[in-house]
Amino acid sequence: MNWRRAWVIARTDLKQLRDSRDFWIPMMIMAGLFFVIIPTVLLFTISRLENVEIIRKVGETLDVLPQSVQDTVRGNTPAARASFAMAVYLFAPLAVVVPLTISSAVAANAIVGEREKGTGEFLAHSPADEREIYLGKLIASFIPGYLTTLVGFSIYALVVNIIVGPQVGGWFFPTADWWLLMFWIVPPFIALALSFVVRVSSKVKSAAAAQQASGLITLPLILLAAGQSSGSLLGASGAGWFLGLLAWLGALLGLIRGRTAVNRERLLGVDPNA
């Protein structure tokens, strides 16, 4: 394995993405909506609505949760407690939705896109072997999604602390569950999705078909992320560690099996099984 050649392939793809405004402008809009605009509007509204019935009901709902969870929810008013719960738990799945969507969109075009652009032949006859091409495609797909998420996560943390922090005793975000989500759960989830999407990209005949298939692949992973945040809310503190461990094992297995999906015949548009 020559890591330098793999990185050259990844860097070439990343440069093409950077120059493609049709890709990164929608990506930035989506990340801005999920990490900044929607949380800001919701948290700002809820934190300032003390006497609205729905806020009181949210506060009453928190009272029926396990005592260990109630102890983690800060705030002396229903609005403050509702804002804290939303900031910590409600938006957690978005930290997985955004990177999975972006990385899967890139990976869906990894192989079939080369064929459609007519550059597959150039890549097939390059000095890089199939493992290096596969690794380069994975890196080029992983970086945009995860980097966008880290930037969005940092901005989200700032928004949460500025809006909710003054009502709950100061800056409190990120919590331990969010650190776990960002650095233990999100990376293997992206890798797991990419191991499937790149494989699909090498087998389908069009980028549109690859995009459709990638949507089906990422959907169950998004549901798992929602389950993780719910588990944390209900006091299942070990759920995140366990889910992350399973995701790492699944990603490792998926990447090993997916390595054979990339070969020179498919880059040239020839079905090796035909």
Side-chain angles (χ1 to χ4, degrees), residues 134 191-192 195-196 199 249-259:
Y134 178 66
L192 181 60
S195 69
F196 291 111
R199 190 183 308 180
L249 294 175
L252 180 62
L253 180 62
L255 293 174
I256 292 174
R257 291 177 59 85
R259 184 182 61 80

Side-chain angles (χ1 to χ4, degrees), residues 246-267:
L246 289 181
W248 279 110
L249 294 175
L252 180 62
L253 180 62
L255 293 174
I256 292 174
R257 291 177 59 85
R259 184 182 61 80
T260 59
V262 176
N263 55 53
R264 298 185 190 282
E265 288 83 359
R266 284 180 172 144
L267 284 170

Side-chain angles (χ1 to χ4, degrees), residues 213-227:
S214 68
L216 294 176
I217 292 170
T218 55
L219 180 59
L221 298 178
I222 291 172
L223 295 177
L224 280 175

Side-chain angles (χ1 to χ4, degrees), residues 1-20:
M1 171 69 74
N2 187 317
W3 289 86
R4 183 176 176 275
R5 285 201 289 259
W7 175 243
V8 168
I9 293 171
R11 190 176 58 188
T12 301
D13 283 4
L14 290 172
K15 184 179 179 181
Q16 292 175 352
L17 290 175
R18 186 195 63 187
D19 296 337
S20 177

Side-chain angles (χ1 to χ4, degrees), residues 95-118:
V96 175
V97 173
V98 173
L100 283 179
T101 302
I102 294 173
S103 291
S104 297
V106 178
N109 289 288
I111 306 302
V112 70
E114 296 284 359
R115 292 202 300 265
E116 290 188 340
K117 290 185 295 185

Side-chain angles (χ1 to χ4, degrees), residues 186-207:
V186 169
F189 264 70
I190 299 175
L192 181 60
L194 293 183
S195 69
F196 291 111
V197 176
V198 172
R199 190 183 308 180
V200 168
S201 179
S202 71
K203 295 183 178 180
V204 298
K205 296 182 178 179
S206 69

Side-chain angles (χ1 to χ4, degrees), residues 115-235:
R115 292 202 300 265
E116 290 188 340
K117 290 185 295 185
T119 54
E121 183 175 355
F122 173 78
L123 194 58
H125 292 94
S126 69
D129 65 22
E130 293 164 347
R131 289 185 304 168
E132 292 158 0
I133 295 173
Y134 178 66
L135 180 60
K137 293 296 182 182
L138 288 175
I139 294 173
S141 302
F142 183 89
I143 288 179
Y146 195 51
L147 182 62
T148 302
T149 301
L150 290 180
V151 173
F153 169 65
S154 301
I155 299 175
Y156 176 72
L158 189 63
V159 168
V160 167
N161 284 312
I162 290 175
I163 297 177
V164 184
Q167 301 183 48
V168 297
W171 289 45
F172 66 96
F173 197 89
T175 62
D177 286 337
W178 271 85
W179 286 119
L180 184 71
L181 182 66
M182 294 303 301
F183 296 102
W184 177 247
I185 297 175
V186 169
F189 264 70
I190 299 175
L192 181 60
L194 293 183
S195 69
F196 291 111
V197 176
V198 172
R199 190 183 308 180
V200 168
S201 179
S202 71
K203 295 183 178 180
V204 298
K205 296 182 178 179
S206 69
Q211 293 284 356
Q212 293 290 339
S214 68
L216 294 176
I217 292 170
T218 55
L219 180 59
L221 298 178
I222 291 172
L223 295 177
L224 280 175
Q228 191 278 331
S229 61
S230 300
S232 298
L233 180 62
L234 296 175

